[in-house]
C-alpha cells in the first residue's frame, strides 16, 4: 500500500487521478475524477479499477499485470451506463507496487494545444501533467537523501521556475529524525541542492552545504511547518529573515515555498523562484508543488531510514570486529572490511585473530548469507561461538563440526523454510613447529605468499557450508616459512574482479605478489589492494585479513622426554633449573621448578609414560607437560586434612594462566608465567611446607 502522504496528494490532485494498489484496487480518487465519472471517492475506493471499464472482461485480459489496463485510450462507465473516453497514463510509485493513473478526457489535449497554438504558449494542464509525470519518474529512485533532493531541484527548473533550492534538516542526512519546530528561530536546515536555469547559482545567495540562518516567526512560516505550500513575494521574504539579501535572487518577483512533509514531520523545504518567467505563482502552482514535494518527501524519508539502518548495522559490525591490527610473537596482522555499496544492506562478513596458548594463534574469516541487521547479529553470534570453541583448543575439523551443529540450531529456530547458511575458514598457526593446520567450511582457500614473493592459493578441499550438515570437514597441514604472509578473504574480493572464482583468485595472487614488501606495513598493502578494485562500491561485502607469520627461534625452546618413574621428578626439576640459568631467567627458577614438579608428578602417577616436558621462551615463559592420557585435569579445593589435591591449585596460583589441550595421542597441560616475576597473592598455606 502506498504511503498516506502519496494517497492524500493524489486525492487533492487538480487532475482526474486514481491510485491503485498492487491488486488493481482503487485506494485514492481525486475530486476531478469524481466530476469526470460522476462517482464519488466513497463509491470507488475499495473497488477494482477494472470494474469501471466499459470493455469488461476484455479490459481485464489486457491489464498490464496490475489489475489496471495499459496506457492508451479506454472507455470508462458513468453510473448511468454512459461511457466516457479517456487517455490513461500510469506512473509506478516506487518503491511500492502502487500505481498512479491519470485520466485525461479524450480530445482535451489536442483541443488545448489547438486553442493555444496562436499564442505559442503550452497549455497549463499539459505542462502540469508532464511535470507530475517527470517528477514521478525521476524522484525517489535513490536511497541517498542528497541525491533525491538534487533530483527534485532539477525537475522544478526550468519547468516551474528559474531557480530552485532544497533544504534538509541537518539530522536527515545522517539518518536521524528532524527536530520538531514551531514558529521561528534556528530551524536547523541546511541547503542541500540547488538548480538554476542559467546553470550558475548566484553567489550572494546561501550556498549548497551552508546552514539556513534563523527565521522570524510569521504566519507563512507556520503554514509551511504545518505542511502547506505558500506563495511569496519579495515583501514576505524580507519579513522572514534579519538579512533577506541572501534569500532574494535578483529580479525575483514571486516564489513558492513548500515543506517536505512525511509521517507528520517536516524533513526539509523546497523553494522555487521566478526571475525571468513573467507569470506570477498562484494557488494552483502551490497545489502542484505540494504534490511534487509530497512525492519527494517519501523518497527523502526512505533514504533517511535506509541511512539510519545502514549506519546502525555498520556500527554494530565494526564493533563486533577485532582490532584492525595486532602484533604478537606468532604473527603481525592487519584486517580490513569494506561494506557493500548496493541497496541490499550491510552484509555479515567478518574476520578474527584469536591468541592461543603456547604462542599459537588462530586466524578466522567467515561470511553469513543475507544482509541487514539479522545477518550482522548472526555473524556476532558465530564469532563468539568460534572464540569459545577456540578457547577449548579444538583442532580445525572438530571446531567446524561443532560450529556446523550450532548453525543448524540457529537456522531451525529462525526460519525452517530459508535455512541459515554461512562459510568459515579456520587456521591455527604454530610458531614453534612453523606450520598451519586449517579447515574450510565452504570458504575460498587462503593465499600464501612466501618471503621471496611467490603467491599461491593453499591446496585445500573445502567442506560444505555451515548449516548444511551430514558431511565431514578435513584438516590440512601446511609448513610455512617465517616471514610468509597468509591472506584470508571473503568471496566479495575475488568475485568483484572477475566473473569466475579462478580468475579472481589469480588476480589476487598477482596483486599480492607484486605489492607485498617486508618493510611495507600490512595495513597499507591491504588498502592498496582494495583501492585496486576501482572506484565503484563493491557489490558484496569484503573482509580481508593479512597475517605475516613469525617463528620462535630454536634456541628459545627446550624439550625432554622421561619414563613414567617417580624418580624422574627431581631430574626434571634439575634440567629446568639449568635451562633457565642458561636463558638468564634464574628469578623464575623457584616457581617453574614447583610447577614442573606438580605436573610431572601427576603425569607419572595418573597417566603413565612417556612424559614430555618442554619450555618455550618468548614474551612469557610457557611450561608444557605431555602424557598419553585423555583424562581432563580438574582444579578442586582440597580440605585442610587432605594429603593431596593441591597440585593444580598451586599451579594456578603461580601462573598467569594455565590449561590443557588434547591431541591424537594424549594431552598437554601448559602453564604460562610472565618473564618478570610477580609477587604471589595470599594463599591458604605456606609453600615452604610443601618443599
Amino acid at each position: 500500500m502506498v504511503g498516506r502522504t502519496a494517497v492524500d496528494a493524489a486525492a487533492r490532485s487538480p487532475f482526474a487521478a486514481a491510485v491503485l494498489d498492487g491488486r488493481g484496487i482503487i485506494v485514492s480518487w481525486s475530486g476531478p475524477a469524481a466530476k469526470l465519472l460522476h462517482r464519488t471517492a466513497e463509491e470507488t475506493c475499495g473497488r477494482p479499477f477494472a470494474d469501471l471499464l466499459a470493455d469488461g472482461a476484455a479490459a481485464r485480459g489486457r491489464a498490464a499485470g496490475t489489475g489496471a489496463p495499459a496506457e492508451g485510450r479506454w472507455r470508462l462507465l458513468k453510473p448511468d451506463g454512459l461511457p466516457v473516453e479517456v487517455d490513461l497514463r500510469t506512473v509506478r510509485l516506487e518503491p511500492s507496487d502502487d500505481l498512479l493513473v491519470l485520466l485525461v478526457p479524450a480530445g482535451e489535449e489536442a483541443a488545448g494545444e489547438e486553442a493555444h497554438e496562436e499564442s505559442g504558449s503550452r497549455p497549463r494542464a499539459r505542462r502540469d501533467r508532464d511535470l507530475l509525470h517527470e517528477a514521478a519518474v525521476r524522484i525517489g529512485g535513490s536511497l541517498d537523501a542528497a541525491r533525491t533532493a538534487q533530483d527534485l531541484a532539477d525537475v522544478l527548473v526550468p519547468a516551474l521556475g528559474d531557480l530552485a533550492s532544497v533544504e534538509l534538516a541537518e539530522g536527515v542526512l545522517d539518518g536521524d529524525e528532524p527536530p520538531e519546530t514551531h514558529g521561528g528561530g534556528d530551524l536547523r536546515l541546511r541547503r542541500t541542492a540547488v538548480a538554476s536555469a542559467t546553470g550558475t547559482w548566484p553567489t550572494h545567495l546561501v550556498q549548497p552545504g551552508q546552514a539556513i540562518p534563523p527565521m522570524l516567526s510569521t504566519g507563512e512560516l507556520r503554514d509551511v511547518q504545518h505542511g502547506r505550500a505558500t506563495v511569496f513575494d519579495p515583501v514576505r521574504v524580507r519579513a522572514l529573515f534579519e538579512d533577506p539579501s541572501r534569500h532574494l535572487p535578483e529580479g525575483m518577483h514571486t516564489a513558492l515555498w513548500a515543506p517536505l512533509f512525511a509521517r507528520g514531520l517536516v524533513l526539509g523545504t523546497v523553494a522555487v523562484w521566478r526571475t525571468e518567467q513573467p507569470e506570477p505563482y498562484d494557488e494552483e502552482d502551490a497545489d502542484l508543488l505540494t504534490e511534487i514535494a509530497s512525492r519527494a518527501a517519501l523518497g527523502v524519508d526512505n533514504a533517511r531510514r535506509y541511512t539510519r539502518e545502514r549506519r546502525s548495522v555498520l556500527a554494530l559490525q565494526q564493533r563486533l570486529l577485532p582490532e584492525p591490527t595486532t602484533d604478537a610473537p606468532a604473527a603481525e596482522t592487519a584486517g580490513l572490511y569494506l561494506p557493500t555499496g548496493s541497496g541490499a544492506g550491510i552484509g555479515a562478513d567478518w574476520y578474527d585473530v584469536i591468541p592461543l596458548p603456547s604462542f599459537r594463534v588462530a586466524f578466522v574469516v567467515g561470511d553469513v548469507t543475507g544482509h541487514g541487521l539479522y545477518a550482522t547479529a548472526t555473524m556476532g553470534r558465530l564469532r563468539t561461538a568460534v572464540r569459545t570453541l577456540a578457547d577449548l583448543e579444538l583442532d580445525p575439523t572438530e571446531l567446524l563440526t561443532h560450529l556446523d551443529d550450532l548453525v543448524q540450531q540457529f537456522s531451525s529456530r529462525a526460519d525452517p523454510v530459508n535455512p541459515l547458511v554461512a562459510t568459515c575458514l579456520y587456521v591455527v598457526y604454530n610458531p614453534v613447529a612453523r606450520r598451519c593446520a586449517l579447515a574450510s567450511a565452504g570458504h575460498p582457500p587462503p593465499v600464501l605468499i612466501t618471503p621471496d614473493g611467490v603467491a599461491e592459493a593453499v591446496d585445500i578441499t573445502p567442506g560444505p557450508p555451515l548449516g548444511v550438515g551430514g558431511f565431514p570437514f578435513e584438516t590440512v597441514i601446511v609448513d610455512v616459512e617465517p616471514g610468509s604472509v597468509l591472506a584470508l578473504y571473503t568471496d566479495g574480493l575475488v568475485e568483484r574482479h572477475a566473473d569466475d572464482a579462478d580468475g579472481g583468485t589469480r588476480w589476487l595472487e598477482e596483486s599480492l605478489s607484486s605489492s607485498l614488501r617486508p618493510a611495507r606495513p600490512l595495513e597499507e598493502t591491504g588498502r592498496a589492494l582494495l583501492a585496486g578494485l576501482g572506484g565503484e562500491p563493491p557489490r558484496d561485502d569484503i573482509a580481508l585479513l593479512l597475517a605475516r607469520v613469525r617463528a620462535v627461534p630454536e634456541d628459545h625452546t627446550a624439550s625432554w622426554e622421561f619414563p613414567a618413574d617417580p624418580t624422574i621428578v627431581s631430574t626434571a626439576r634439575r634440567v629446568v633449573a639449568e635451562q633457565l640459568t642458561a636463558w638468564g631467567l634464574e628469578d623464575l627458577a623457584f616457581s617453574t621448578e614447583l610447577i614442573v614438579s606438580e605436573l610431572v608428578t601427576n603425569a607419572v602417577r595418573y597417566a603413565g609414560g612417556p612424559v614430555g616436558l618442554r619450555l618455550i621462551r618468548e614474551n612469557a615463559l610457557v611450561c608444557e607437560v605431555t602424557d598419553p592420557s585423555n583424562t581432563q585435569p580438574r582444579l578442586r579445593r582440597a580440605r585442610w586434612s587432605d594429603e593431596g589435591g593441591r597440585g593444580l591449585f598451586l599451579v594456578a596460583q603461580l601462573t598467569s594462566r594455565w590449561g590443557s589441550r588434547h591431541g591424537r595421542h594424549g594431552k598437554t597441560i601448559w602453564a604460562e608465567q610472565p618473564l618478570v616475576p610477580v609477587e604471589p597473592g595470599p594463599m591458604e598455606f605456606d609453600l615452604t611446607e610443601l618443599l
Side-chain angles (χ1 to χ4, degrees):
M1 178 70 68
V2 74
R4 260 328 309 163
T5 304
V7 171
D8 294 341
R12 297 193 305 268
S13 173
F15 314 108
V19 174
L20 315 184
D21 66 11
R23 301 171 299 163
I25 304 299
I26 300 173
V27 296
S28 183
W29 188 253
S30 71
K35 293 180 181 179
L36 177 64
L37 293 181
H38 298 171
R39 295 178 183 270
T40 65
E42 290 76 11
E43 294 172 337
T44 54
C45 289
R47 295 180 55 185
F49 185 81
D51 288 352
L52 304 182
L53 300 173
D55 300 287
R60 293 185 180 91
R62 294 171 57 186
T66 63
E71 289 190 346
R73 181 158 297 184
W74 292 87
R75 292 191 303 162
L76 303 183
L77 290 176
K78 295 181 179 180
D80 57 9
L82 294 177
V84 177
E85 285 196 357
V86 296
D87 289 321
L88 294 189
R89 296 184 181 183
T90 60
V91 178
R92 179 70 57 189
L93 298 178
E94 300 290 348
S96 68
D97 292 331
D98 301 292
L99 200 69
L100 175 65
V101 180
L102 297 177
L103 315 176
V104 183
E108 177 183 286
E109 183 173 320
E113 290 180 352
E114 184 177 348
H116 291 268
E117 204 171 54
E118 293 183 2
S119 65
S121 62
R122 298 179 62 202
R124 181 168 185 165
R126 170 72 181 276
R127 181 209 68 176
D128 292 351
R129 287 196 301 270
D130 290 345
L131 185 56
L132 282 173
H133 182 272
E134 186 178 4
V137 171
R138 294 182 57 181
I139 301 173
S142 172
L143 288 174
D144 180 82
R147 179 68 260 173
T148 302
Q150 188 61 56
D151 291 339
L152 172 59
D154 292 340
V155 164
L156 296 175
V157 174
L160 195 61
D162 300 300
L163 296 169
S165 70
V166 180
E167 292 74 40
L168 295 181
E170 293 179 348
V172 168
L173 295 172
D174 295 328
D176 298 326
E177 289 195 348
E180 292 188 9
T181 54
H182 302 283
D186 186 359
L187 303 185
R188 300 181 184 178
L189 295 174
R190 190 168 297 275
R191 181 150 292 170
T192 308
V194 296
S196 170
T198 63
T200 303
W201 185 252
T203 57
H204 72 281
L205 299 181
V206 177
Q207 298 298 304
Q210 293 182 348
I212 301 299
M215 298 184 186
L216 303 176
S217 183
T218 65
E220 290 82 359
L221 174 60
R222 289 189 291 273
D223 285 342
V224 171
Q225 290 173 340
H226 287 86
R228 293 186 292 272
T230 303
V231 179
F232 279 81
D233 56 25
V235 174
R236 291 183 176 181
V237 174
R238 291 188 181 95
L240 275 175
F241 301 97
E242 293 182 357
D243 181 12
S245 61
R246 301 185 64 195
H247 308 277
L248 281 172
E250 293 182 4
M252 172 256 183
H253 59 81
T254 183
L256 284 177
W257 192 26
L260 297 177
F261 199 70
R263 299 187 303 105
L265 299 174
V266 178
L267 304 175
T269 61
V270 55
V272 192
W273 294 272
R274 281 182 176 172
T275 57
E276 301 297 331
Q277 299 181 28
E279 298 85 0
Y281 289 120
D282 55 25
E283 290 303 321
E284 289 188 16
D285 292 318
D287 292 340
L288 177 63
L289 182 59
T290 297
E291 189 165 353
I292 296 174
S294 297
R295 165 74 181 176
L298 289 176
V300 170
D301 195 44
N302 286 339
R304 180 194 64 80
R305 287 187 288 179
Y306 170 78
T307 300
R308 180 181 60 185
E309 180 178 348
R310 179 181 172 85
R311 184 184 62 181
S312 300
V313 173
L314 185 58
L316 172 62
Q317 187 167 43
Q318 290 175 341
R319 282 163 175 75
L320 290 174
L321 293 175
E323 293 294 327
T325 59
T326 65
D327 194 349
E332 60 170 322
T333 68
L336 298 98
Y337 172 74
L338 187 62
T340 177
S342 70
I346 301 298
D349 295 9
W350 92 93
Y351 64 86
D352 207 351
V353 179
I354 307 174
L356 298 176
S358 302
F359 306 110
R360 297 170 304 132
V361 63
F363 308 124
V364 191
V365 66
D367 184 2
V368 178
T369 56
H371 297 80
L373 187 60
Y374 173 75
T376 302
T378 302
M379 177 270 285
R381 298 175 72 182
L382 290 184
R383 177 175 177 260
T384 301
V386 171
R387 279 190 160 262
T388 302
L389 294 172
D391 194 52
L392 299 177
E393 300 194 64
L394 304 175
D395 65 38
T397 296
E398 190 173 357
L399 183 141
L400 290 183
T401 301
H402 284 289
L403 198 62
D404 181 56
D405 294 338
L406 190 62
V407 171
Q408 292 182 62
Q409 295 177 29
F410 290 168
S411 181
S412 62
R413 291 197 296 265
D415 187 355
V417 178
N418 300 307
L420 169 68
V421 177
T423 65
C424 182
L425 176 66
Y426 185 75
V427 182
V428 176
Y429 173 65
N430 188 333
V432 177
R434 304 180 183 184
R435 62 181 48 171
C436 283
L438 61 156
S440 169
H443 205 86
V447 174
L448 178 63
I449 306 94
T450 61
D452 55 3
V454 178
E456 186 178 5
V458 176
D459 186 12
I460 180 175
T461 302
L466 300 171
V468 174
F471 297 92
F473 301 101
E474 178 183 357
T475 296
V476 175
I477 306 297
V478 179
D479 292 326
V480 182
E481 185 179 354
S484 299
V485 174
L486 273 170
L488 290 75
Y489 55 92
T490 54
D491 54 8
L493 179 62
V494 293
E495 291 177 356
R496 158 81 181 201
H497 199 81
D499 293 333
D500 63 302
D502 292 338
T505 304
R506 286 193 298 271
W507 166 83
L508 180 60
E509 293 171 355
E510 295 170 359
S511 300
L512 289 172
S513 178
S514 60
S515 61
L516 276 171
R517 298 289 182 271
R520 188 181 192 185
L522 290 178
E523 189 174 14
E524 181 180 330
T525 300
R527 286 197 299 266
L529 183 68
L530 296 182
L533 295 174
E536 294 184 3
R539 292 172 295 180
D540 193 9
D541 290 49
I542 296 174
L544 173 65
L545 177 63
L546 299 176
R548 180 177 282 119
V549 299
R550 299 165 175 158
V552 174
E554 293 184 1
D555 59 351
H556 284 203
T557 64
S559 57
W560 304 268
E561 186 172 285
F562 304 104
D565 187 336
T567 60
I568 59 100
V569 176
S570 59
T571 304
R573 294 180 61 164
R574 176 177 55 80
V575 298
V576 165
E578 292 173 354
Q579 186 61 58
L580 293 179
T581 300
W583 283 341
L585 300 176
E586 297 91 341
D587 292 343
L588 296 177
F590 175 77
S591 58
T592 306
E593 286 185 57
L594 195 53
I595 292 168
V596 168
S597 177
E598 293 297 334
L599 296 182
V600 172
T601 298
N602 286 345
V604 170
R605 181 178 299 173
Y606 302 111
V611 177
L613 173 62
R614 181 167 67 173
L615 296 179
I616 309 173
R617 173 175 69 92
E618 271 299 306
N619 58 356
L621 178 65
V622 174
C623 174
E624 296 181 341
V625 174
T626 303
D627 61 56
S629 172
N630 287 319
T631 303
Q632 178 72 22
R634 302 292 182 187
L635 181 66
R636 67 184 183 89
R637 181 176 294 275
R639 293 172 296 183
W640 70 271
S641 59
D642 291 344
E643 296 183 0
R646 296 183 175 87
L648 289 180
F649 177 76
L650 182 61
V651 170
Q653 296 293 316
L654 295 173
T655 60
S656 56
R657 58 175 185 160
W658 71 278
S660 68
R661 62 178 177 271
H662 290 276
R664 295 184 177 180
H665 307 290
K667 69 175 180 297
T668 298
I669 304 178
W670 55 269
E672 183 177 301
Q673 302 176 80
L675 293 183
V676 178
V678 178
E679 290 295 328
M683 295 189 181
E684 297 185 357
F685 47 83
D686 188 351
L687 292 180
T688 57
E689 296 178 358
L690 303 176
L691 304 178

